[in-house]
Amino acid sequence: MNTPSETVEQIRFHEEDSFLQGVKDCIPTLLGYISIGLAFGVVGAASGLSLFEIAFLTVLVYAGSAQFIFCALVISNSPPSAIILTIFIVNLRHFLMSLTLAPHFTRYSLVRNVGFGTLLTDETFGVAVTKWMQTKKLSGKWMDGLNLTAYLVWIASCIAGAFLGQWVANPEKWGLDFALTAMFVALLVLQLQSVGKSKLAKNLLLIGLIALCMYIFSYFMPSHLAVLISTIVVATVGVVIDR
Amino acid sequence: MSTNTIIWIIVGCAVVTWLPRIIPFIFVRNVKLPDVVLKWLSFIPICILSALVVENLLNTDGSFVTLNWPVVAAFLPTLIIAIWTKSLSTTVVVGVISMAAIRYLI
C-alpha cells in the first residue's frame, strides 16, 4: 500500500503530465495565436482568398509565417512550383525543432509520434522545450493537450479574422503583429533561465553570434533561410566550444 | 488564379510542411542518435528562438540591412518585462501594448 505522501506525489505527477495540463500550458500562448490568426484572416481575405480557401490553408498548412507568405505569393501570381518550394524552405526549420523533441517521445507508438510531429509549430516547440528544461520529462497526453488547443484556436482565429476583416482592417495599428515576436522573446528568456547561470555567458555569446550571422546572411538570402542557416552554424559552434 | 489551382497549391504546400515535421519523429524511434548530435540539438532551442527574434528586429528592405527601429523600441520594454516577470502572457500583452503605443506616436 502506498503511504499518503507517495499518493500525493503520484497525483501531482499525473496532473503535471495530463492532457488538461497541456491545455493549461498552452493558454499563455493563445493571445499570440489569436492576434496573428485574426491578422492572417484579414490578410487572406484582402488577398482575394475565399473563406473556404482560408480555412483549407489554415487546416492543412498550419504555419503562421508560411500562410502569410502564401498570400503574398498568390497576389504576385508566382508559379505553383515557386510557391511550394518557398513554403518548403520557410518551414524547414520545423525539421530541426522536430528532431530536438523526437528523442523524448520514442516510447510512444508510430501513429502518436506522427501526430506530435504533424501539429508541431514554433510556439508549441517553445513551450515543450521549456517544459522539458523545467521538469526533465514530456508526456504524450500533455503534448496532445498543448498541440490540439493551439491548433483549434489557430483555426478559429484565422476564420474569425476572415469574417472580421472589415472591422480590423489594419491589425498592425494595434501592435498585434508584435505578439509573436514578444512570445519568442519570453520563450528565449525562459530557456536562458532554465539552462542555469553557469552556462549563461556561453549562451549569451551564442545569441550574439546568431545576431551577427542573421545580419550578414540577410544580405545574401531571404530572412527565413537566414534563420535556418544561422541556427545550424551557431549550434555547431556551440558544440565545438563546449568541448 | 482559379480556386482549383489554389487548392492544389495548398495541398502541395501541406505536404512539404508536413514531411519535415514528421520525418524526425518517425526515424528517431529506430535510431539511437550519437551523443554529439544530441549535444548539437541541445543548442537548437536557444539558437532558433533568438534567430526568430533577430529576424523581426532587422529591416532588409533597403540596400543595407538596418535595424527596424519601431520594432527595436517595442522589443526593449518587452525584453525587460520578460526578464522581470518570466511570464509568457504578461510579456505578450506588454509587447503588443508597446508596439501599439509606438505606432500611435510615429
Side-chain angles (χ1 to χ4, degrees):
Chain A
M1 226 178 92
N2 290 328
T3 63
S5 68
E6 272 172 354
T7 317
V8 169
E9 214 29 54
Q10 280 171 349
I11 291 170
R12 193 179 297 151
F13 178 81
H14 287 301
E15 276 181 355
E16 254 320 284
D17 288 1
S18 68
F19 185 87
L20 190 64
Q21 187 59 43
V23 174
K24 282 183 190 160
D25 287 343
C26 191
I27 290 172
T29 68
L30 292 185
L31 184 67
Y33 277 103
I34 293 169
S35 42
I36 304 293
L38 287 174
F40 170 73
V42 172
V43 169
S47 315
L49 294 182
S50 70
L51 189 62
F52 170 74
E53 287 163 349
I54 290 172
F56 194 68
L57 179 68
T58 305
V59 170
L60 252 67
V61 176
Y62 183 41
S65 49
Q67 290 177 218
F68 280 98
I69 292 167
F70 179 92
C71 292
L73 294 174
V74 166
I75 293 178
S76 67
N77 250 317
S78 305
S81 55
I83 298 178
I84 294 170
L85 182 65
T86 307
I87 299 296
F88 174 67
I89 294 168
V90 169
N91 286 334
L92 206 51
R93 66 178 185 284
H94 292 143
F95 181 83
L96 292 178
M97 297 182 182
S98 194
L99 197 57
T100 308
L101 286 183
H104 305 301
F105 292 99
T106 47
R107 63 190 183 279
Y108 293 101
S109 71
L110 180 65
V111 174
R112 294 208 56 197
N113 271 281
V114 169
F116 301 141
T118 303
L119 295 184
L120 181 122
T121 64
D122 298 342
E123 297 81 1
T124 55
F125 166 78
V127 174
V129 288
T130 306
K131 176 88 171 176
W132 188 79
M133 283 283 195
Q134 286 163 355
T135 65
K136 294 292 170 202
K137 59 175 187 275
L138 287 172
S139 97
K141 277 184 188 156
W142 178 86
M143 195 69 195
D144 287 338
L146 170 73
N147 276 342
L148 284 173
T149 310
Y151 186 49
L152 295 177
V153 169
W154 174 250
I155 293 171
S157 308
C158 290
I159 293 174
F163 273 114
L164 293 175
Q166 38 194 330
W167 291 290
V168 226
N170 190 358
E172 289 203 350
K173 188 181 153 197
W174 305 99
L176 291 176
D177 55 316
F178 192 71
L180 217 54
T181 312
M183 191 150 58
F184 294 141
V185 171
L187 287 169
L188 184 60
V189 168
L190 289 173
Q191 275 294 310
L192 284 176
Q193 187 199 18
S194 48
V195 291
K197 284 213 166 72
S198 58
K199 291 181 179 167
L200 186 64
K202 198 175 122 190
N203 280 303
L204 289 177
L205 172 71
L206 294 181
I207 293 174
L209 280 176
I210 283 280
L212 183 68
C213 285
M214 284 296 294
Y215 180 80
I216 295 169
F217 293 155
S218 294
Y219 275 100
F220 307 104
M221 57 185 88
S223 65
H224 46 264
L225 204 55
V227 168
L228 194 67
I229 310 280
S230 302
T231 301
I232 292 171
V233 169
V234 178
T236 309
V237 172
V239 173
V240 171
I241 63 173
D242 205 46
R243 274 160 198 268
Chain B
M1 277 186 217
S2 74
T3 298
N4 214 357
T5 315
I6 288 182
I7 295 297
W8 281 111
I9 298 174
I10 292 174
V11 171
C13 290
V15 172
V16 298
T17 300
W18 189 53
L19 290 179
R21 283 180 185 174
I22 60 158
I23 285 172
F25 275 96
I26 294 172
F27 287 99
V28 168
R29 293 182 75 245
N30 307 314
V31 185
K32 175 99 178 62
L33 293 175
D35 285 345
V36 65
V37 175
L38 290 174
K39 175 117 234 163
W40 185 75
L41 289 173
S42 73
F43 291 107
I44 296 294
I46 282 182
C47 290
I48 213 160
L49 289 168
S50 45
L52 288 168
V53 171
V54 174
E55 180 186 22
N56 286 288
L57 298 179
L58 296 178
N59 182 358
T60 54
D61 292 340
S63 51
F64 289 98
V65 178
T66 55
L67 285 174
N68 187 337
W69 287 109
V71 176
V72 172
F75 164 73
L76 293 175
T78 305
L79 178 63
I80 291 166
I81 290 295
I83 294 172
W84 189 24
T85 66
K86 308 269 189 322
S87 155
L88 208 51
S89 33
T90 312
T91 306
V92 171
V93 171
V94 169
V96 167
I97 293 173
S98 312
M99 194 74 245
I102 289 157
R103 295 251 166 78
Y104 178 78
L105 292 173
I106 56 173

